[in-house]
Amino acid sequence: MATKLFLLMILLSHVASSFSEWCHPQDKMALLQIKKELNNPTILSSWKPNTDCCKMNWYGVTCFHSNNRVRDLIISNDNKLTAKFPLSIDNLPYLESLFFDHLPNLTGPIPIEPISKLLKLRTLTISSTGMSGPIPNFPAQMKHLYNLDLSSNYFSGTLPYSLYKLPKLGSIFFYNNSLTGSIPPSYGYFNNKNLPSLLLSHNQLSGKLPISLARLNTTVIELSHNKFEGDASMLFGSNKATREIYLSQNLFTFDLGKVELSKTMTTLDVSHNQIYGKLPVGIENILSLNVSYNNLCGKIPKGGNMHLFGVNSFFHNKCLCGSPLSNCK
């Protein structure tokens, strides 16, 4: 009798544990397959079949309380993880955030087919990895995607043309790659309600900026350390919500004195170009400024925040004068 009671208690404990497990069976199976595809790295040693993936026990995994589905997957800072991008990622249909960061031995191209099936995805970060190849055109069906961070990898080729079709896209971080070619005219047609940030610095992009960028109302635009040329004045505008513009280390040539700064502008770096003209009206309201190594002329205004800037913000221009440079004649 005692033996039967003992066995019954064991059975009931197993039943209770199965009912108390949060992790959805499909998601748990998918995560274990992803672990296998990543070659069972030590960083994922907490992913064990006999434990619950949704009770904060599994590294990098968080779940929705409402339906016990995996919401976020974050794997980062592992020099020993050596693998390709896991194709089984598409078996996590409720995933909202996918974050692969500082994984230098994660290699290969972006597998767009499985990623494009993550229809609830809001944030995709593949940063500081060994991944390479072209950046694909993410399909419009990924209508919730807001943050796309593919920075500091080895991606090459041209910028994907159809990103503007993603209705909620608000952050585009492609800096520190090996991208070539020009900015597509379609980039002037992002949804301006999102105030998108466009960070493309430290690539090998070139050519003239499309006139359509005049339509773009960005928070931050970062084009420095490329090979762009010609006019960039369309990026400015008094009615825009732009806070920061970085254009340094290019071949831009336009009259800076004719641009209108946004009322929200805090940072302007146009150094190391071939920009000419005077300093624009309202520049004294900026908090961070660098116009050095250009062909600017005229008197540096006083007042506002101009006392914050030293010689390095203005030197190596054609004929700028006034404090902190030499007096105007």
Side-chain angles (χ1 to χ4, degrees):
M1 183 67 180
T3 303
K4 292 183 179 180
L5 182 60
F6 177 72
L7 292 175
L8 180 60
M9 290 176 65
I10 292 177
L11 177 62
L12 290 175
S13 67
H14 280 294
V15 172
S17 63
S18 65
F19 279 113
S20 64
E21 183 166 342
W22 289 4
C23 190
H24 192 281
Q26 176 184 329
D27 289 2
K28 187 173 188 177
M29 186 180 301
L31 289 170
L32 291 173
Q33 180 61 30
I34 288 170
K35 178 183 177 180
K36 182 179 179 181
E37 291 175 9
L38 292 175
N39 295 317
N40 299 304
T42 303
I43 197 172
L44 302 184
S45 60
S46 61
W47 293 19
K48 299 177 180 178
N50 60 344
T51 60
D52 192 333
C53 73
C54 286
K55 290 187 175 179
M56 305 301 289
N57 296 321
W58 285 29
Y59 166 86
V61 177
T62 58
C63 302
F64 289 102
H65 290 292
S66 58
N67 59 9
N68 303 338
R69 306 306 296 259
V70 173
R71 182 187 66 195
D72 309 306
L73 178 57
I74 301 173
I75 303 175
S76 63
N77 297 301
D78 187 359
N79 294 330
K80 297 181 180 179
L81 187 155
T82 302
K84 304 290 186 181
F85 193 97
L87 301 182
S88 294
I89 199 71
D90 60 355
N91 290 320
L92 297 174
Y94 286 80
L95 199 65
E96 287 191 353
S97 178
L98 178 58
F99 192 92
F100 285 176
D101 179 58
H102 283 88
L103 303 173
N105 295 310
L106 182 70
T107 58
I110 297 175
I112 188 58
E113 184 175 352
I115 290 178
S116 65
K117 295 179 182 178
L118 302 175
L119 300 184
K120 297 183 181 295
L121 199 65
R122 298 176 183 270
T123 296
L124 174 60
T125 296
I126 303 172
S127 179
S128 299
T129 75
M131 293 185 66
S132 58
I135 295 178
N137 275 302
F138 292 85
Q141 68 196 43
M142 299 181 71
K143 60 183 179 180
H144 296 291
L145 189 62
Y146 176 82
N147 185 73
L148 180 58
D149 183 355
L150 305 178
S151 62
S152 300
N153 297 291
Y154 296 91
F155 296 127
S156 57
T158 57
L159 293 168
Y161 177 85
S162 64
L163 288 183
Y164 76 101
K165 295 181 180 180
L166 298 169
K168 293 187 177 180
L169 194 60
S171 297
I172 304 159
F173 300 157
F174 292 170
Y175 59 85
N176 288 342
N177 280 290
S178 300
L179 300 172
T180 56
S182 58
I183 296 179
S186 61
Y187 279 38
Y189 294 88
F190 286 112
N191 187 347
N192 284 333
K193 292 180 181 179
N194 300 329
L195 297 176
S197 294
L198 183 62
L199 280 69
L200 304 176
S201 67
H202 294 85
N203 279 286
Q204 300 171 29
L205 298 167
S206 60
K208 296 183 178 181
L209 302 185
I211 297 298
S212 60
L213 292 187
R215 301 182 71 261
L216 192 61
N217 191 8
T218 64
T219 303
V220 179
I221 187 161
E222 163 67 281
L223 305 180
S224 60
H225 291 268
N226 280 290
K227 301 175 183 178
F228 292 118
E229 60 186 59
D231 190 8
S233 62
M234 79 287 289
L235 302 177
F236 298 84
S238 59
N239 295 323
K240 293 187 177 184
T242 309
R243 294 199 307 262
E244 303 174 30
I245 293 181
Y246 302 89
L247 304 178
S248 65
Q249 299 283 350
N250 281 288
L251 300 170
F252 286 121
T253 305
F254 62 96
D255 188 342
L256 187 63
K258 292 184 179 180
V259 305
E260 295 182 345
L261 302 180
S262 71
K263 298 177 178 62
T264 56
M265 182 80 73
T266 63
T267 303
L268 177 63
D269 185 352
V270 298
S271 62
H272 294 269
N273 281 285
Q274 300 169 13
I275 297 169
Y276 57 90
K278 298 180 179 180
L279 294 176
V281 174
I283 201 167
E284 63 274 10
N285 298 320
I286 287 178
L287 295 173
S288 179
L289 176 66
N290 193 345
V291 298
S292 62
Y293 290 92
N294 279 292
N295 296 315
L296 297 169
C297 280
K299 186 176 181 179
I300 297 172
K302 298 179 180 180
N305 297 317
M306 299 307 288
H307 67 282
L308 299 175
F309 312 126
V311 172
N312 291 349
S313 293
F314 303 101
F315 68 170
H316 288 279
N317 272 287
K318 185 176 181 180
C319 48
L320 276 182
C321 60
S323 178
L325 301 180
S326 57
N327 293 331
C328 297
K329 298 179 180 179

